[in-house]
Structures are given as structure tokens and as C-alpha cells.
């Protein structure tokens, strides 16, 4: 049996601190060269055992909910930014207690919560910088599921809505910044074109702002990413409008830093070779089905690339819970470990216990200690949510 990791219980995620540090060093170099600030988008990666490390390099976190705001505040303790499409009245006071920046989705939300922000800041002697999310109505994302600028999108204020809202309210007083998020796994040439659209539409207002947040979706730590062009983009906007630029990547922080280790439970045949694993796409790597995409497995290839091709399926009863077809140099055996790569981001944060499938353990590889277990889960984690 092929074992990559002895003594671990599968399925498990393993995040390698050395790989994470490499990403963080690159991100920090961009902060240093431009004076921009980079925040971790917790939506993509919330493994807070790594937050003290991330906090050594990045400026803080961005959050899309009360819980994320609290997690970032308690576990990293640096800047906390929040954006949500709409805030809940019963959570807003607590959100303010954690937040340095609050971004509103519309003039309507801003109008609703502005008095509360002002009152809270005055009574707590705190500064909360408020911003408005704009929709530049330009993006290059092909998959609607990940495209905040698709037709009839609820995310952000279009120029038309902005102008109407401003006319009704009469002032931008209290709005320090603009925020857009219009990218997904993209390079800086896409950012450049989005900035053209942002400037064309909202340039007249940018001069009145203190900051602009370029959102996430910047695939900065991918080997072919053009970092120099990103720096040119940041400099261009900072110099022209005298604003501070924020970036809030999620995926780029944890890109290629984590593995999902699983074990073959059974092999069988139905017109082709099949294998059943102790992990599940639906439960442990939902983007494989949602995006959809094909994760890499160490030592495996495309169907037919090696002599033994298998369709890898999950341990759930969902017929379509299939990870994909992969080929191997040797036949698979029960007990073999299969290691999926790049499983740090958008996995742990999206896990579920559908079908009563247990959550994978979470492990961290540290230079000083080797592999350490951060979390393991059991029946109570399944039961307590039902
Ligand atoms: C999802 C999201 C991010 C992070 O996106 P990545 O693709 O993980 O970099 C940042 N900001 C906002 C508003 C988001 O919705």
C-alpha cells in the first residue's frame, strides 16, 4: 500500500507553513513596495491556527459576516474590515465592536446604519472608516456563480444607483472609501482593465476618498502572475487620487499550501475501473462540483496517461459525488493514500457533514515541530448541527 503520510487518520487536510510563508513573503513585498495594505479574505481561508503567522505579514482580515469579523479580531488581532450585502440589525453593534472598516452595499444600507456608526464611534472613542461597494459593471469572469458583475447582480452599487443615491442623500460625507470586487483567479491585466472601467465611471468621486479596496480574486501567488503590473496598477491609482489601496485576496494567500489526504476504501468495476475513497467532493471539496474543476493528485495523470485509469468516487450515496477520472502507474489497492493538492482554500470553510460523513482532520506542518494535529472531528460535530 502506498502511504505518503504515516500515522495520520484520513481524510485530513495538511497545510504546510513553509509554503504559506512563501506566499506571505510575496504578498508582503507588494505591501512594502507600494504602501498598499493586504488583508486575508477569510471567506477563502479561515484556518485560524495560521492567523498569528499571517498577521506577521499581512495587515489584517476582511470578513463577510459577524462570525468572520469576530474570528479575525480574536485570532489575528490586526485590522478587521467587513463587507456584507446586507447587515442584520441585531448583529450590527457587535460587528462595529470588531471593525476598523465597514463597507456598505448600497446607499440605502449606508443611510440606515450611518447614525449607528456615528453614535458608536462617539461613545466608544473609536474610528470606523466607512465605504461603499461599487459595481463597475465590468468583469471578465465566465462563470456566473463567481461573477459579481453579472446582469441583475445584487452586489455593489452601479453608477446609475450611485448618482441617484447621492442626489437623494445630498452628500458623500462619512464615506471614506470605495470597494469593488470583480475578479476570480485572475491576473493583473484583468485588474488593469477593471480599473479603467472604475476610473471611467467613478473617477470623479475617487478624489474625495481616502481609500479604495480592489477586492479579491487576484491570483498573485500563481507562478505566471504579473506582480510588476499589479504594482503599476496600485501606484497609478494611489498617485492619481491620493488614496490608499487595499487588496483582500483569499485564495492567493493559501494557494498551493495545503493537501487533502484520503485513502482508497474499495475498488470495483462497472464498465471501467472504479475506486471509492474515504473523502467526498460534496463534503470536503465542493468546488470540484460547483466550479467545476479537476483537482490534481500526486503521482496520478489524465485518463490513459498511465496504464491504470480509475473513476474516483466518494463515500457518500450521492450518485454525482465523483471527483473525476485519473490514471496511475500501478493498480490502486485498498489502503492506498491519495493526496489531492491545493486543498487549503475554499475547502475547510465550505465543509459539511452531508450523509453523516465526518469532517477531515486539520493538520499543520511546521518547520520546528513537523506535523501537528490542529483539529479532529467526530459524531458530536455532526449531531450538534441538526
Ligand atoms: C470572495 C471575496 C474575496 C476573496 O476572493 P478570492 O477569490 O478568494 O481572492 C474578497 N473580497 C470579497 C468582497 C469577496 O467576496
Amino acid at each position: 500500500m502506498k502511504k505518503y503520510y504515516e500515522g495520520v487518520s484520513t481524510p485530513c487536510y495538511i497545510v504546510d507553513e513553509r509554503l504559506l510563508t512563501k506566499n506571505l513573503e510575496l504578498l508582503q513585498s507588494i505591501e512594502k513596495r507600494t504602501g498598499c495594505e493586504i488583508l486575508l479574505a477569510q471567506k477563502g481561508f479561515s484556518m485560524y491556527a495560521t492567523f498569528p503567522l499571517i498577521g506577521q505579514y499581512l495587515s489584517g482580515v476582511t470578513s463577510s459576516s459577524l462570525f468572520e469579523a469576530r474570528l479575525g479580531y480574536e485570532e489575528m488581532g490586526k485590522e478587521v474590515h467587513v463587507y456584507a450585502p446586507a447587515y442584520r440589525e441585531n448583529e450590527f453593534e457587535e460587528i462595529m465592536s470588531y471593525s476598523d472598516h465597514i463597507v456598505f452595499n448600497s446607499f440605502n444600507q449606508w443611510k440606515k446604519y450611518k447614525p449607528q456608526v456615528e453614535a458608536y464611534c462617539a461613545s466608544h472613542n473609536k474610528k470606523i472608516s466607512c465605504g461603499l461597494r461599487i459595481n463597475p459593471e465590468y468583469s471578465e469572469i465566465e462563470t456566473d456563480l463567481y461573477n459579481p458583475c453579472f446582469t441583475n447582480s445584487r452586489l455593489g452599487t452601479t453608477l446609475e444607483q450611485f448618482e441617484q443615491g447621492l442626489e437623494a442623500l445630498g452628500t458623500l460625507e462619512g464615506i471614506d472609501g470605495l470597494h469593488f470586487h470583480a475578479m476570480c483567479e485572475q491576473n493583473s491585466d484583468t485588474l488593469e482593465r477593471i480599473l479603467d472601467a472604475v476610473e471611467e465611471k467613478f473617477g470623479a468621486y475617487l478624489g474625495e476618498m481616502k481609500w479604495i479596496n480592489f477586492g479579491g480574486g487576484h491570483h498573485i501567488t500563481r507562478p505566471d502572475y504579473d506582480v510588476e503590473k499589479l504594482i503599476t496598477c496600485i501606484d497609478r491609482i494611489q498617485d492619481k487620487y491620493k488614496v490608499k489601496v487595499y487588496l483582500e485576496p483569499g485564495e492567493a494567500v493559501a494557494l498551493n499550501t495545503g493537501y487533502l489526504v484520503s485513502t482508497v476504501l474499495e475498488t470495483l468495476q462497472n464498465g471501467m475501473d472504479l475506486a471509492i475513497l474515504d473523502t467526498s467532493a460534496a463534503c470536503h471539496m465542493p468546488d470540484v462540483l460547483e466550479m467545476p474543476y479537476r483537482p490534481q493528485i500526486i503521482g496520478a495523470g489524465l485518463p490513459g496517461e498511465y496504464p491504470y485509469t480509475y473513476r474516483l468516487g466518494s463515500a457518500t450515496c450521492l450518485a454525482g459525488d465523483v471527483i473525476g477520472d485519473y490514471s496511475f502507474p500501478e493498480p490502486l489497492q485498498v489502503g492506498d493514500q491519495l493526496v489531492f493538492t491545493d486543498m487549503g482554500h475554499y475547502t475547510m470553510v465550505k465543509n459539511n457533514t452531508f450523509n453523516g460523513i465526518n469532517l477531515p482532520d486539520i493538520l499543520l506542518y511546521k518547520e520546528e515541530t513537523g506535523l501537528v494535529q490542529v483539529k479532529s472531528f467526530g459524531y458530536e460535530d455532526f449531531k450538534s448541527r441538526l
Side-chain angles (χ1 to χ4, degrees):
M1 283 176 297
K2 198 161 175 94
K3 298 261 189 217
Y4 290 86
Y5 296 96
E6 289 293 341
V8 302
S9 155
T10 69
C12 66
Y13 298 106
I14 298 178
V15 168
D16 189 327
E17 231 184 48
R18 297 167 301 184
L19 300 172
L20 187 59
T21 303
K22 248 175 55 186
N23 285 353
L24 293 168
E25 281 168 352
L26 174 60
L27 294 169
Q28 189 184 46
S29 74
I30 295 164
E31 292 187 306
K32 286 194 169 143
R33 284 178 62 188
T34 62
C36 81
E37 288 193 27
I38 301 185
L39 310 162
L40 164 70
Q42 293 173 97
K43 186 182 77 192
F45 185 70
S46 295
M47 182 183 164
Y48 59 88
T50 63
F51 280 13
L53 176 74
I54 294 173
Q56 288 172 33
Y57 293 88
L58 303 187
S59 299
V61 297
T62 195
S63 327
S64 348
S65 58
L66 169 63
F67 291 170
E68 284 187 358
R70 178 174 170 181
L71 189 73
Y73 179 84
E74 291 183 351
E75 300 297 331
M76 195 178 300
K78 298 188 76 180
E79 269 182 54
V80 175
H81 295 218
V82 188
Y83 157 79
Y87 292 102
R88 299 173 62 101
E89 286 173 14
N90 64 345
E91 291 182 352
F92 197 73
E93 169 107 7
E94 193 180 344
I95 284 179
M96 287 191 289
S97 74
Y98 304 131
S99 301
D100 300 288
H101 279 211
I102 298 180
V103 175
F104 296 93
N105 193 52
S106 62
F107 269 96
N108 210 43
Q109 284 271 301
W110 163 234
K111 228 169 55 195
K112 175 172 177 175
Y113 288 106
K114 183 183 186 205
Q116 283 186 52
V117 176
E118 286 169 353
Y120 186 91
C121 290
S123 62
H124 292 75
N125 196 21
K126 175 172 175 167
K127 168 79 189 144
I128 297 174
S129 192
C130 291
L132 194 70
R133 175 160 173 175
I134 55 172
N135 174 356
E137 295 177 87
Y138 178 88
S139 76
E140 300 177 2
I141 303 170
E142 314 267 318
T143 316
D144 275 354
L145 182 63
Y146 296 101
N147 184 3
C149 301
F150 66 4
T151 313
N152 309 124
S153 172
R154 69 189 182 288
L155 303 172
T157 303
T158 63
L159 180 60
E160 192 187 344
Q161 294 165 337
F162 189 98
E163 286 173 341
Q164 284 167 1
L166 179 56
E167 195 177 306
L169 197 64
T171 173
L172 281 176
E173 186 265 316
I175 292 288
D176 289 343
L178 298 181
H179 174 292
F180 69 83
H181 171 69
M183 290 169 61
C184 180
E185 299 187 337
Q186 281 162 321
N187 213 317
S188 42
D189 59 321
T190 301
L191 174 65
E192 199 172 39
R193 292 186 286 272
I194 292 171
L195 288 174
D196 290 342
V198 168
E199 282 201 80
E200 190 196 312
K201 293 195 162 82
F202 296 95
Y205 305 107
L206 264 178
E208 299 176 43
M209 297 294 142
K210 298 195 173 87
W211 51 263
I212 177 166
N213 188 321
F214 289 180
H218 315 271
H219 233 192
I220 300 169
T221 49
R222 190 173 78 196
D224 70 340
Y225 185 88
D226 186 348
V227 171
E228 295 310 312
K229 194 186 282 290
L230 170 65
I231 288 181
T232 309
C233 285
I234 296 169
D235 288 345
R236 156 184 155 195
I237 298 296
Q238 290 195 146
D239 293 346
K240 185 160 169 190
Y241 299 99
K242 308 291 171 227
V243 289
K244 181 190 264 301
V245 165
Y246 291 88
L247 305 178
E248 42 182 40
E251 180 157 337
V253 175
L255 189 68
N256 290 317
T257 65
Y259 305 92
L260 173 59
V261 186
S262 74
T263 300
V264 176
L265 296 179
E266 171 78 343
T267 58
L268 63 165
Q269 263 248 338
N270 183 11
M272 69 180 291
D273 285 315
L274 310 172
I276 298 174
L277 309 185
D278 65 356
T279 187
S280 153
C283 301
H284 306 152
M285 38 184 145
D287 279 352
V288 167
L289 302 181
E290 280 178 20
M291 190 93 171
Y293 85 103
R294 178 191 157 86
Q296 299 287 320
I297 297 176
I298 292 175
L302 292 167
E305 190 177 337
Y306 295 111
Y308 303 96
T309 295
Y310 291 82
R311 178 157 300 167
L312 302 180
S314 310
T316 68
C317 298
L318 173 68
D321 195 354
V322 168
I323 299 154
D325 295 354
Y326 295 80
S327 68
F328 300 87
E330 306 287 337
L332 288 181
Q333 286 184 47
V334 170
D336 280 350
Q337 284 181 347
L338 297 184
V339 181
F340 294 88
T341 64
D342 198 21
M343 284 287 163
H345 55 86
Y346 290 103
T347 49
M348 293 172 238
V349 289
K350 295 183 99 176
N351 275 353
N352 61 75
T353 57
F354 169 61
N355 224 165
I357 300 291
N358 197 10
L359 299 166
D361 289 355
I362 299 176
L363 289 83
L364 187 60
Y365 185 90
K366 286 169 171 280
E367 189 90 68
E368 318 87 65
T369 53
L371 264 187
V372 286
Q373 188 174 75
V374 175
K375 284 264 177 184
S376 75
F377 302 93
Y379 175 67
E380 284 308 321
D381 297 292
F382 164 63
K383 187 183 177 192
S384 66
R385 303 203 306 174
L386 299 168

